Amino acid sequence: MFFEGRISEGAGVFLMMNNYFHDVATALLLASGIAMWVIYKKFGESEGRESKEYFLRLYASMTFLARFSLAWIILGGVPRTYFYKEFEWANYAGKSQVPALLVKHVLAFLFVGMGAYIWIKIRKKAAGIRGNSTS
């Protein structure tokens, strides 16, 4: 193993911060999708060309945020998974923490899945607006 059973203090801080940001990225993917859907309803569905252009500008910025979140979820999940048993596993809770972990992971996968689904729908809406504005 990379740390041979002992995680240095610096590596421990890195892993702790990675794990916090991994959780934040998971929530951010869903939250940004919901926020973008609300923005679409307000500006993307309006009749005004300026409102639709405003939506497309926001969409471009928010898409970067969503992609960054998804990348962190995937890349940050690697060290989190690899070091879970040594770094996060609470020995005093033993196997009783397994049901809590199952619930946590079901919710995390649900958040990521719902966030991805919303972003796919938003991407199609943005493409439709772009296609209509060039006609």
Side-chain angles (χ1 to χ4, degrees):
M1 190 174 299
F2 183 70
F3 288 106
E4 298 176 18
R6 174 101 170 93
I7 296 175
S8 71
E9 192 172 303
V13 170
F14 169 80
L15 287 169
M16 181 178 70
M17 297 308 296
N18 174 71
N19 295 350
Y20 289 151
F21 291 133
H22 185 262
D23 291 342
V24 169
T26 299
L28 189 57
L29 182 64
L30 177 59
S32 65
I34 291 169
M36 202 61 227
W37 188 260
V38 170
I39 291 167
Y40 167 73
K41 289 297 201 181
K42 175 77 175 166
F43 297 104
E45 289 185 335
S46 75
E47 294 299 319
R49 185 185 55 117
E50 289 176 359
S51 291
K52 290 181 180 189
E53 288 174 0
Y54 180 67
F55 163 75
L56 290 174
R57 285 193 307 273
L58 287 173
Y59 170 77
S61 298
M62 293 287 283
T63 298
F64 173 80
L65 180 65
R67 287 181 177 158
F68 184 82
S69 294
L70 187 57
W72 197 290
I73 291 166
I74 293 166
L75 297 175
V78 172
R80 186 169 198 174
T81 301
Y82 185 78
F83 292 107
Y84 181 81
K85 188 78 170 180
E86 328 176 28
F87 189 73
E88 288 187 86
W89 184 266
N91 289 325
Y92 55 86
K95 301 234 182 262
S96 296
Q97 66 191 309
V98 172
L101 286 170
L102 288 172
V103 170
K104 175 189 171 189
H105 284 93
V106 166
L107 287 173
F109 280 102
L110 186 64
F111 278 22
V112 171
M114 288 172 36
Y117 175 76
I118 293 169
W119 273 104
I120 289 167
K121 290 188 70 76
I122 293 288
R123 182 179 61 196
K124 290 177 183 176
K125 300 289 186 183
I129 291 171
R130 276 193 209 104
N132 289 337
S133 67
T134 59
S135 306

